[in-house]
Amino acid sequence: MKKDGVTPFRPGYNPVAGPSVGDGELQMEFGFLLLAGKTCYEDASHEERAFLLVRGDVTFCWDGKRVRVKRGLWRDDGPFCLHVPAGAAVRIEGHADHSELTVHQTENERAFSSRLLTPADAKNVRRGADTLEGSTERVVRDIISQDNCPASNLVLGEVILKPGRWGGYPNHYHPQPEVFFFQYYPANGFGIANVGDKAFVTTNNTAVKITPNADHPCVTAPGYWQYSVWCIRNLPGNPYVRPIFNERFAALQAGW
């Protein structure tokens, strides 16, 4: 699956990938929420959910709490993400002319505490600056993982690539399904995402499905910063913990 980013998202919730759009292999839903002006979105789904603010100005409401957060360009500002268990009621109020969120949800009967994760929780980790001549230099932000929420069925994070750099490299894979969502700065940028032996051109607001056990490196064109949100669906008894590197590129793992 590749969802091209040429067509703008409409205001409100936009389903992009997952069982609701005919792709049961993912075992999770991925959507894009656009709040235009002073609008709001309410949800009380019987699934685990994560609402990641990509950019904008919103108030998250849950469990009797109200917290207003703002985020500018993802290159410079860290993420805010509301993570809730199945059945929790959520309200998101928009304040800016244009607020963007990615929405991730999947079945999960296990209970855990709702939590608003902040940039302090998803710290910038720089990788690849001192290896392979800096060609894989990137910033990684882990948001939801087995470390901070072992009851979750989702693993969620962000990667920021400098212009002309590679991400997800050396080539790696894992048995759990995954979705990547890309944006660029400037917005007319582009890159390439590999899934196994297939290569997809990615533009602003493009989503790509990563099939189980397929290598999936990506690259951004010179002159353009690349932002990717990646979400992995843990498998029963087999949660994602770390990647498996393609043996062909084993000697390059120091860049990870």
Side-chain angles (χ1 to χ4, degrees), residues 30 51-52 77 87 90 119 135 139 150 161 169 185 194 228 242:
F30 167 71
F51 302 90
L52 172 61
D77 297 344
V90 171
S135 59
V139 169
L161 288 184
Y169 189 89
Y185 179 77
N194 281 82
S228 61
R242 61 181 61 87

Side-chain angles (χ1 to χ4, degrees), residues 30-227:
F30 167 71
F32 187 90
L33 176 60
L34 174 59
L35 297 178
K38 294 184 179 299
T39 56
C40 67
Y41 173 80
E42 295 183 351
D43 179 75
S45 168
H46 293 292
E47 292 190 318
E48 171 186 355
R49 284 147 293 148
F51 302 90
L52 172 61
L53 180 62
V54 175
R55 68 172 69 189
D57 180 358
V58 303
T59 294
F60 286 116
C61 308
W62 80 101
D63 294 347
K65 302 181 179 69
R66 289 177 55 88
V67 179
R68 184 169 177 173
V69 298
K70 299 179 182 180
R71 188 181 190 188
L73 181 63
W74 33 255
R75 182 191 63 184
D76 306 318
D77 297 344
F80 293 91
C81 180
L82 180 60
H83 185 209
V84 300
V90 171
R91 178 182 172 92
I92 305 173
E93 301 171 354
H95 304 293
D97 291 338
H98 191 91
S99 295
E100 302 176 353
L101 301 96
T102 58
V103 182
H104 313 266
Q105 49 192 333
T106 191
E107 293 183 356
N108 189 352
E109 297 179 352
R110 290 173 293 187
F112 57 87
S113 298
S114 299
R115 183 181 181 189
L116 178 61
L117 297 145
T118 72
D121 299 304
K123 297 178 180 178
N124 290 343
V125 176
R126 295 191 176 275
R127 296 179 182 171
D130 301 323
T131 58
L132 304 177
E133 299 179 333
S135 59
T136 65
E137 183 179 0
R138 61 203 184 277
V139 169
V140 179
R141 300 166 178 156
D142 292 327
I143 300 171
I144 300 172
S145 68
Q146 288 293 288
D147 290 333
N148 64 13
C149 191
S152 177
N153 277 345
L154 299 173
V155 182
L156 180 65
E158 298 180 336
V159 176
I160 310 296
L161 288 184
K162 287 185 174 182
R165 276 28 172 224
W166 283 82
Y169 189 89
N171 289 21
H172 69 281
Y173 60 94
H174 41 76
Q176 300 86 2
E178 183 175 12
V179 170
F180 266 82
F181 175 76
F182 297 93
Q183 286 194 350
Y184 289 90
Y185 179 77
N188 65 333
F190 72 97
I192 301 292
N194 281 82
V195 182
D197 59 358
K198 296 181 179 179
F200 301 99
V201 175
T202 58
T203 55
N204 206 45
N205 291 339
T206 295
V208 175
K209 181 181 78 172
I210 310 302
T211 51
N213 298 312
D215 287 6
H216 47 282
C218 61
V219 65
T220 183
Y224 297 100
W225 291 78
Q226 184 192 83
Y227 166 75

